[in-house]
Short mmCIF file of all heavy atoms in Angstrom, two decimals:
data_model
loop_
_atom_site.label_atom_id
_atom_site.label_comp_id
_atom_site.label_asym_id
_atom_site.label_seq_id
_atom_site.Cartn_x
_atom_site.Cartn_y
_atom_site.Cartn_z
N ASP A 256 -15.34 -43.90 58.66
CA ASP A 256 -15.85 -43.80 59.98
C ASP A 256 -16.37 -42.43 60.18
O ASP A 256 -17.34 -42.23 60.93
CB ASP A 256 -14.67 -44.09 60.95
CG ASP A 256 -15.25 -44.51 62.36
OD1 ASP A 256 -16.13 -45.36 62.37
OD2 ASP A 256 -14.79 -43.94 63.38
N ALA A 257 -15.82 -41.39 59.50
CA ALA A 257 -16.32 -40.05 59.67
C ALA A 257 -17.81 -39.98 59.23
O ALA A 257 -18.56 -39.20 59.83
CB ALA A 257 -15.45 -39.06 58.86
N TYR A 258 -18.21 -40.77 58.29
CA TYR A 258 -19.61 -40.74 57.83
C TYR A 258 -20.49 -41.31 58.95
O TYR A 258 -21.57 -40.81 59.23
CB TYR A 258 -19.77 -41.55 56.55
CG TYR A 258 -21.12 -41.51 55.99
CD1 TYR A 258 -21.64 -40.37 55.28
CD2 TYR A 258 -22.05 -42.61 56.06
CE1 TYR A 258 -22.92 -40.35 54.76
CE2 TYR A 258 -23.28 -42.60 55.54
CZ TYR A 258 -23.77 -41.43 54.86
OH TYR A 258 -25.00 -41.41 54.37
N LEU A 259 -20.03 -42.36 59.56
CA LEU A 259 -20.82 -42.96 60.65
C LEU A 259 -20.93 -42.03 61.82
O LEU A 259 -22.01 -41.97 62.45
CB LEU A 259 -20.16 -44.34 61.06
CG LEU A 259 -19.91 -45.32 59.92
CD1 LEU A 259 -19.26 -46.56 60.47
CD2 LEU A 259 -21.29 -45.64 59.19
N VAL A 260 -19.88 -41.32 62.16
CA VAL A 260 -19.85 -40.32 63.26
C VAL A 260 -20.83 -39.25 62.90
O VAL A 260 -21.62 -38.79 63.77
CB VAL A 260 -18.47 -39.85 63.49
CG1 VAL A 260 -18.50 -38.64 64.48
CG2 VAL A 260 -17.56 -40.93 64.09
N GLU A 261 -20.83 -38.81 61.57
CA GLU A 261 -21.74 -37.76 61.18
C GLU A 261 -23.24 -38.18 61.43
O GLU A 261 -23.98 -37.36 61.90
CB GLU A 261 -21.53 -37.44 59.68
CG GLU A 261 -22.40 -36.37 59.11
CD GLU A 261 -22.22 -36.08 57.62
OE1 GLU A 261 -21.25 -36.59 57.08
OE2 GLU A 261 -23.10 -35.39 57.06
N ILE A 262 -23.56 -39.37 61.05
CA ILE A 262 -24.95 -39.83 61.26
C ILE A 262 -25.21 -39.93 62.78
O ILE A 262 -26.25 -39.38 63.21
CB ILE A 262 -25.18 -41.22 60.65
CG1 ILE A 262 -24.93 -41.23 59.11
CG2 ILE A 262 -26.63 -41.64 60.91
CD1 ILE A 262 -24.97 -42.64 58.53
N ALA A 263 -24.30 -40.55 63.54
CA ALA A 263 -24.53 -40.67 64.94
C ALA A 263 -24.72 -39.42 65.69
O ALA A 263 -25.49 -39.33 66.62
CB ALA A 263 -23.38 -41.52 65.56
N ASN A 264 -24.04 -38.36 65.17
CA ASN A 264 -24.10 -37.04 65.89
C ASN A 264 -25.36 -36.15 65.45
O ASN A 264 -25.53 -35.13 65.96
CB ASN A 264 -22.88 -36.25 65.57
CG ASN A 264 -21.70 -36.76 66.39
OD1 ASN A 264 -21.87 -37.39 67.49
ND2 ASN A 264 -20.49 -36.56 65.92
N LYS A 265 -26.15 -36.68 64.50
CA LYS A 265 -27.30 -35.96 64.13
C LYS A 265 -28.22 -35.71 65.32
O LYS A 265 -28.57 -36.67 66.04
CB LYS A 265 -28.08 -36.67 62.98
CG LYS A 265 -27.36 -36.64 61.68
CD LYS A 265 -27.28 -35.31 61.09
CE LYS A 265 -26.72 -35.29 59.73
NZ LYS A 265 -26.58 -33.99 59.14
N LYS A 266 -28.71 -34.44 65.44
CA LYS A 266 -29.56 -34.14 66.59
C LYS A 266 -30.86 -34.96 66.60
O LYS A 266 -31.48 -35.21 67.62
CB LYS A 266 -29.83 -32.65 66.65
CG LYS A 266 -30.71 -32.10 65.56
CD LYS A 266 -30.91 -30.64 65.68
CE LYS A 266 -31.86 -30.03 64.79
NZ LYS A 266 -31.98 -29.90 63.56
N GLU A 267 -31.29 -35.37 65.44
CA GLU A 267 -32.52 -36.14 65.29
C GLU A 267 -32.43 -37.52 65.95
O GLU A 267 -33.47 -38.10 66.24
CB GLU A 267 -32.92 -36.37 63.86
CG GLU A 267 -33.26 -35.06 63.08
CD GLU A 267 -32.07 -34.36 62.52
OE1 GLU A 267 -30.92 -34.77 62.70
OE2 GLU A 267 -32.33 -33.35 61.77
N LEU A 268 -31.24 -37.96 66.25
CA LEU A 268 -31.09 -39.29 66.85
C LEU A 268 -30.85 -39.16 68.35
O LEU A 268 -30.78 -40.23 69.03
CB LEU A 268 -29.88 -40.02 66.20
CG LEU A 268 -30.09 -40.38 64.76
CD1 LEU A 268 -28.82 -41.03 64.21
CD2 LEU A 268 -31.26 -41.35 64.61
N ALA A 269 -30.78 -37.98 68.85
CA ALA A 269 -30.48 -37.81 70.33
C ALA A 269 -31.52 -38.57 71.19
O ALA A 269 -31.12 -39.07 72.27
CB ALA A 269 -30.47 -36.34 70.68
N MET A 270 -32.71 -38.68 70.74
CA MET A 270 -33.76 -39.29 71.61
C MET A 270 -33.61 -40.82 71.72
O MET A 270 -34.17 -41.39 72.66
CB MET A 270 -35.15 -38.99 71.01
CG MET A 270 -35.48 -37.53 71.01
SD MET A 270 -37.17 -37.27 70.58
CE MET A 270 -37.89 -37.12 72.27
N ILE A 271 -32.80 -41.41 70.85
CA ILE A 271 -32.65 -42.90 70.96
C ILE A 271 -31.54 -43.27 71.90
O ILE A 271 -31.40 -44.46 72.19
CB ILE A 271 -32.50 -43.59 69.58
CG1 ILE A 271 -31.16 -43.29 68.92
CG2 ILE A 271 -33.70 -43.26 68.65
CD1 ILE A 271 -30.85 -44.11 67.73
N TYR A 272 -30.73 -42.33 72.20
CA TYR A 272 -29.52 -42.65 73.08
C TYR A 272 -29.90 -42.65 74.59
O TYR A 272 -30.65 -41.85 75.07
CB TYR A 272 -28.43 -41.58 72.83
CG TYR A 272 -27.96 -41.58 71.39
CD1 TYR A 272 -27.72 -40.40 70.73
CD2 TYR A 272 -27.77 -42.79 70.68
CE1 TYR A 272 -27.30 -40.33 69.42
CE2 TYR A 272 -27.36 -42.74 69.41
CZ TYR A 272 -27.12 -41.58 68.71
OH TYR A 272 -26.72 -41.55 67.41
N ASP A 273 -29.29 -43.55 75.27
CA ASP A 273 -29.38 -43.68 76.69
C ASP A 273 -28.16 -44.29 77.25
O ASP A 273 -27.13 -44.40 76.54
CB ASP A 273 -30.65 -44.49 77.10
CG ASP A 273 -30.67 -45.91 76.51
OD1 ASP A 273 -29.66 -46.46 76.20
OD2 ASP A 273 -31.78 -46.48 76.31
N GLU A 274 -28.15 -44.80 78.50
CA GLU A 274 -26.93 -45.36 79.07
C GLU A 274 -26.50 -46.63 78.38
O GLU A 274 -25.31 -46.88 78.34
CB GLU A 274 -27.21 -45.61 80.58
CG GLU A 274 -27.44 -44.38 81.37
CD GLU A 274 -28.14 -44.58 82.65
OE1 GLU A 274 -28.62 -45.74 82.96
OE2 GLU A 274 -28.37 -43.57 83.33
N GLU A 275 -27.42 -47.40 77.81
CA GLU A 275 -27.08 -48.66 77.21
C GLU A 275 -26.73 -48.51 75.75
O GLU A 275 -26.02 -49.30 75.17
CB GLU A 275 -28.23 -49.68 77.34
CG GLU A 275 -27.86 -51.01 76.87
CD GLU A 275 -29.00 -52.02 76.95
OE1 GLU A 275 -30.15 -51.64 77.18
OE2 GLU A 275 -28.78 -53.24 76.69
N PHE A 276 -27.32 -47.46 75.11
CA PHE A 276 -27.09 -47.26 73.66
C PHE A 276 -26.77 -45.81 73.43
O PHE A 276 -27.64 -44.94 73.53
CB PHE A 276 -28.37 -47.67 72.93
CG PHE A 276 -28.14 -47.71 71.42
CD1 PHE A 276 -27.58 -48.82 70.79
CD2 PHE A 276 -28.54 -46.68 70.60
CE1 PHE A 276 -27.38 -48.87 69.43
CE2 PHE A 276 -28.35 -46.70 69.27
CZ PHE A 276 -27.74 -47.80 68.71
N THR A 277 -25.47 -45.49 73.23
CA THR A 277 -24.96 -44.21 73.05
C THR A 277 -24.64 -43.86 71.58
O THR A 277 -24.76 -44.74 70.73
CB THR A 277 -23.67 -44.04 73.88
OG1 THR A 277 -22.69 -44.95 73.31
CG2 THR A 277 -23.88 -44.38 75.32
N ARG A 278 -24.15 -42.64 71.38
CA ARG A 278 -23.77 -42.26 70.04
C ARG A 278 -22.57 -43.25 69.58
O ARG A 278 -22.53 -43.57 68.42
CB ARG A 278 -23.22 -40.80 70.00
CG ARG A 278 -24.24 -39.80 69.94
CD ARG A 278 -23.63 -38.36 69.97
NE ARG A 278 -24.67 -37.37 69.77
CZ ARG A 278 -25.45 -36.94 70.77
NH1 ARG A 278 -25.34 -37.41 72.01
NH2 ARG A 278 -26.36 -36.04 70.49
N ASP A 279 -21.72 -43.54 70.51
CA ASP A 279 -20.65 -44.45 70.16
C ASP A 279 -21.17 -45.86 69.87
O ASP A 279 -20.61 -46.56 68.98
CB ASP A 279 -19.65 -44.46 71.28
CG ASP A 279 -18.36 -45.25 70.80
OD1 ASP A 279 -17.80 -44.83 69.78
OD2 ASP A 279 -17.98 -46.21 71.50
N SER A 280 -22.22 -46.28 70.52
CA SER A 280 -22.87 -47.57 70.24
C SER A 280 -23.35 -47.57 68.79
O SER A 280 -23.12 -48.55 68.04
CB SER A 280 -24.04 -47.82 71.13
OG SER A 280 -23.67 -47.88 72.47
N PHE A 281 -24.05 -46.53 68.39
CA PHE A 281 -24.50 -46.38 67.03
C PHE A 281 -23.38 -46.52 66.02
O PHE A 281 -23.43 -47.29 65.11
CB PHE A 281 -25.19 -44.95 66.90
CG PHE A 281 -25.93 -44.80 65.62
CD1 PHE A 281 -27.31 -44.94 65.55
CD2 PHE A 281 -25.30 -44.35 64.43
CE1 PHE A 281 -28.00 -44.72 64.40
CE2 PHE A 281 -25.98 -44.16 63.30
CZ PHE A 281 -27.34 -44.33 63.27
N ARG A 282 -22.34 -45.69 66.27
CA ARG A 282 -21.18 -45.73 65.32
C ARG A 282 -20.48 -47.17 65.31
O ARG A 282 -20.14 -47.68 64.34
CB ARG A 282 -20.16 -44.66 65.76
CG ARG A 282 -18.96 -44.57 64.78
CD ARG A 282 -17.70 -44.16 65.44
NE ARG A 282 -17.34 -44.91 66.65
CZ ARG A 282 -16.79 -46.11 66.72
NH1 ARG A 282 -16.51 -46.78 65.60
NH2 ARG A 282 -16.54 -46.70 67.86
N LYS A 283 -20.37 -47.72 66.54
CA LYS A 283 -19.64 -48.98 66.70
C LYS A 283 -20.43 -50.08 65.93
O LYS A 283 -19.76 -50.90 65.26
CB LYS A 283 -19.58 -49.33 68.17
CG LYS A 283 -18.92 -50.68 68.44
CD LYS A 283 -18.83 -50.88 70.00
CE LYS A 283 -19.83 -51.80 70.53
NZ LYS A 283 -19.71 -52.18 71.92
N VAL A 284 -21.70 -50.07 66.02
CA VAL A 284 -22.48 -51.15 65.33
C VAL A 284 -22.33 -50.99 63.84
O VAL A 284 -22.08 -51.96 63.10
CB VAL A 284 -24.01 -51.09 65.79
CG1 VAL A 284 -24.85 -51.88 64.89
CG2 VAL A 284 -24.14 -51.49 67.20
N LEU A 285 -22.52 -49.78 63.34
CA LEU A 285 -22.42 -49.58 61.88
C LEU A 285 -20.99 -49.84 61.37
O LEU A 285 -20.82 -50.40 60.29
CB LEU A 285 -22.92 -48.15 61.52
CG LEU A 285 -24.37 -47.87 61.80
CD1 LEU A 285 -24.77 -46.47 61.20
CD2 LEU A 285 -25.29 -48.92 61.21
N SER A 286 -20.06 -49.49 62.19
CA SER A 286 -18.66 -49.76 61.75
C SER A 286 -18.39 -51.30 61.73
O SER A 286 -17.76 -51.76 60.74
CB SER A 286 -17.68 -49.12 62.78
OG SER A 286 -16.35 -49.36 62.42
N ALA A 287 -18.86 -52.02 62.68
CA ALA A 287 -18.72 -53.48 62.67
C ALA A 287 -19.38 -54.06 61.44
O ALA A 287 -18.83 -54.95 60.75
CB ALA A 287 -19.32 -54.11 63.91
N ILE A 288 -20.59 -53.63 61.09
CA ILE A 288 -21.29 -54.11 59.93
C ILE A 288 -20.51 -53.74 58.67
O ILE A 288 -20.31 -54.61 57.81
CB ILE A 288 -22.68 -53.53 59.85
CG1 ILE A 288 -23.55 -54.14 61.03
CG2 ILE A 288 -23.38 -53.78 58.48
CD1 ILE A 288 -24.92 -53.42 61.21
N SER A 289 -20.07 -52.54 58.58
CA SER A 289 -19.32 -52.07 57.41
C SER A 289 -18.05 -52.88 57.22
O SER A 289 -17.67 -53.26 56.09
CB SER A 289 -18.98 -50.62 57.55
OG SER A 289 -18.16 -50.15 56.54
N ASN A 290 -17.35 -53.18 58.31
CA ASN A 290 -16.11 -53.97 58.26
C ASN A 290 -16.28 -55.47 58.32
O ASN A 290 -15.32 -56.20 58.41
CB ASN A 290 -15.18 -53.49 59.42
CG ASN A 290 -14.75 -52.06 59.23
OD1 ASN A 290 -14.47 -51.63 58.10
ND2 ASN A 290 -14.73 -51.29 60.36
N LYS A 291 -17.53 -55.96 58.32
CA LYS A 291 -17.90 -57.32 58.37
C LYS A 291 -17.24 -58.05 59.58
O LYS A 291 -16.62 -59.07 59.48
CB LYS A 291 -17.46 -58.00 57.10
CG LYS A 291 -17.92 -57.23 55.84
CD LYS A 291 -18.38 -58.02 54.74
CE LYS A 291 -18.93 -57.32 53.62
NZ LYS A 291 -19.39 -56.01 53.68
N GLU A 292 -17.37 -57.28 60.69
CA GLU A 292 -16.80 -57.85 61.97
C GLU A 292 -18.02 -58.11 62.95
O GLU A 292 -19.08 -57.46 62.83
CB GLU A 292 -15.93 -56.80 62.62
CG GLU A 292 -14.77 -56.41 61.76
CD GLU A 292 -14.01 -55.16 62.33
OE1 GLU A 292 -14.56 -54.48 63.23
OE2 GLU A 292 -12.93 -54.88 61.84
N LEU A 293 -17.75 -58.95 63.90
CA LEU A 293 -18.68 -59.19 64.93
C LEU A 293 -18.47 -58.03 66.02
O LEU A 293 -17.44 -57.50 66.10
CB LEU A 293 -18.50 -60.52 65.63
CG LEU A 293 -18.75 -61.73 64.76
CD1 LEU A 293 -18.48 -63.02 65.51
CD2 LEU A 293 -20.24 -61.75 64.28
N LEU A 294 -19.59 -57.77 66.74
CA LEU A 294 -19.50 -56.73 67.81
C LEU A 294 -18.75 -57.33 68.98
O LEU A 294 -18.97 -58.58 69.31
CB LEU A 294 -20.86 -56.34 68.25
CG LEU A 294 -21.65 -55.42 67.37
CD1 LEU A 294 -23.07 -55.25 67.90
CD2 LEU A 294 -21.01 -54.06 67.24
N SER A 295 -17.85 -56.57 69.60
CA SER A 295 -17.18 -57.13 70.72
C SER A 295 -17.94 -56.65 71.98
O SER A 295 -18.25 -55.44 72.10
CB SER A 295 -15.73 -56.66 70.79
OG SER A 295 -15.67 -55.26 70.93
N SER A 296 -18.30 -57.53 72.81
CA SER A 296 -19.00 -57.28 74.10
C SER A 296 -20.21 -56.30 73.88
O SER A 296 -20.31 -55.27 74.54
CB SER A 296 -18.07 -56.63 75.12
OG SER A 296 -16.94 -57.47 75.27
N PRO A 297 -21.14 -56.65 72.99
CA PRO A 297 -22.28 -55.76 72.77
C PRO A 297 -23.26 -55.72 73.96
O PRO A 297 -23.37 -56.71 74.62
CB PRO A 297 -22.94 -56.32 71.52
CG PRO A 297 -22.62 -57.81 71.59
CD PRO A 297 -21.22 -57.90 72.21
N THR A 298 -23.92 -54.58 74.13
CA THR A 298 -25.04 -54.54 75.04
C THR A 298 -26.24 -55.13 74.28
O THR A 298 -26.16 -55.36 73.12
CB THR A 298 -25.36 -53.08 75.39
OG1 THR A 298 -25.80 -52.39 74.23
CG2 THR A 298 -24.21 -52.33 76.02
N LYS A 299 -27.32 -55.35 75.09
CA LYS A 299 -28.51 -55.88 74.42
C LYS A 299 -29.01 -54.94 73.36
O LYS A 299 -29.45 -55.35 72.26
CB LYS A 299 -29.57 -56.18 75.45
CG LYS A 299 -30.77 -56.82 75.02
CD LYS A 299 -31.79 -57.11 76.14
CE LYS A 299 -33.03 -57.82 75.63
NZ LYS A 299 -33.98 -58.05 76.70
N ALA A 300 -29.02 -53.65 73.58
CA ALA A 300 -29.46 -52.66 72.67
C ALA A 300 -28.57 -52.66 71.39
O ALA A 300 -29.07 -52.48 70.26
CB ALA A 300 -29.47 -51.29 73.30
N GLU A 301 -27.27 -52.73 71.58
CA GLU A 301 -26.35 -52.78 70.45
C GLU A 301 -26.62 -54.02 69.61
O GLU A 301 -26.61 -53.91 68.34
CB GLU A 301 -24.90 -52.74 70.92
CG GLU A 301 -24.46 -51.45 71.50
CD GLU A 301 -23.13 -51.46 72.17
OE1 GLU A 301 -22.60 -52.56 72.40
OE2 GLU A 301 -22.62 -50.34 72.43
N SER A 302 -26.86 -55.14 70.23
CA SER A 302 -27.16 -56.39 69.53
C SER A 302 -28.47 -56.23 68.68
O SER A 302 -28.55 -56.66 67.55
CB SER A 302 -27.27 -57.58 70.44
OG SER A 302 -26.00 -57.84 71.03
#
């Protein structure tokens, strides 16, 4: 998870974040993919 947080926190990604898609959204999506899990209650942007 630390690797996913590291990517999500990169300043180059700041422009893609908004109220619907946050740093945590980025990490949450990649974590779900990595763990072969479905997203729980995803926003449209997360989906």
Side-chain angles (χ1 to χ4, degrees):
D256 203 48
Y258 184 75
L259 305 179
V260 170
E261 180 183 348
I262 300 171
N264 285 335
K265 290 291 186 183
K266 68 179 189 300
E267 295 87 354
L268 294 176
M270 296 190 99
I271 71 170
Y272 300 136
D273 57 25
E274 293 155 1
E275 186 184 11
F276 190 80
T277 64
R278 281 179 175 82
D279 191 55
S280 297
F281 188 98
R282 184 213 48 80
K283 178 175 103 173
V284 169
L285 296 185
S286 181
I288 291 169
S289 175
N290 293 321
K291 311 219 179 336
E292 301 168 348
L293 294 178
L294 286 174
S295 66
S296 306
T298 65
K299 186 176 179 181
E301 290 170 346
S302 293

